[in-house]
Amino acid sequence: MNDLTNDNRSLIRRIYHEMWNAADPAAAHRLFVQAHSVERFVREFLAAFPDLKHTLEAILIEDDLAAARFTARGTHTGKWKEFEASQKPIHYTGVLWARLEDGMVAEHHTWWDVRELIEQIGVSADRRRAAR
């Protein structure tokens, strides 16, 4: 493995360890070129799920592209969107795709099952329809 591949792999790990698991939304400014929206999302999400922990299941690096599969677990103890705290445990998996540039994430997309999370915090299908 070359140094760039190792650096890129380390950058992806830092997203989950420094920003998510250490509950440091401001770390987005050290990791992402466009950090403000990332920081805001992480801050809001951690306010609702303050014990959230991510586990990296796999990381794939090819040149300046990275993909990662992750699992997250936590407890819904604060308001998230329009959903009041349920005190219920949550678990979801997701995938991150990123383009890396000069040691930072220049572009990224994350896919995870929001509907599954909503069901885990106890929001019925009828209430979800009414919330739309």
Side-chain angles (χ1 to χ4, degrees), residues 34-79:
Q34 300 288 323
H36 294 290
S37 61
V38 174
E39 179 183 14
R40 184 178 60 248
F41 176 81
V42 172
R43 187 172 307 286
E44 290 171 2
F45 205 77
L46 288 175
F49 305 92
D51 65 343
L52 191 73
K53 296 297 179 212
H54 284 78
T55 302
L56 280 168
E57 306 293 340
I59 302 173
L60 300 173
I61 304 290
E62 184 171 327
D63 301 323
D64 66 343
L65 301 177
R69 182 176 187 281
F70 61 86
T71 301
R73 294 180 186 279
T75 311
H76 182 218
T77 61
K79 186 174 182 178

Side-chain angles (χ1 to χ4, degrees), residues 11 33 64-66 97-101 104-109:
L11 175 60
V33 172
D64 66 343
L65 301 177
W97 175 91
R99 186 177 58 79
L100 312 175
E101 186 176 285
M104 296 184 82
V105 177
E107 180 182 353
H108 70 284
H109 303 277

Side-chain angles (χ1 to χ4, degrees), residues 20 29 50 85 130 132:
W20 284 108
H29 295 277
R132 286 187 232 164

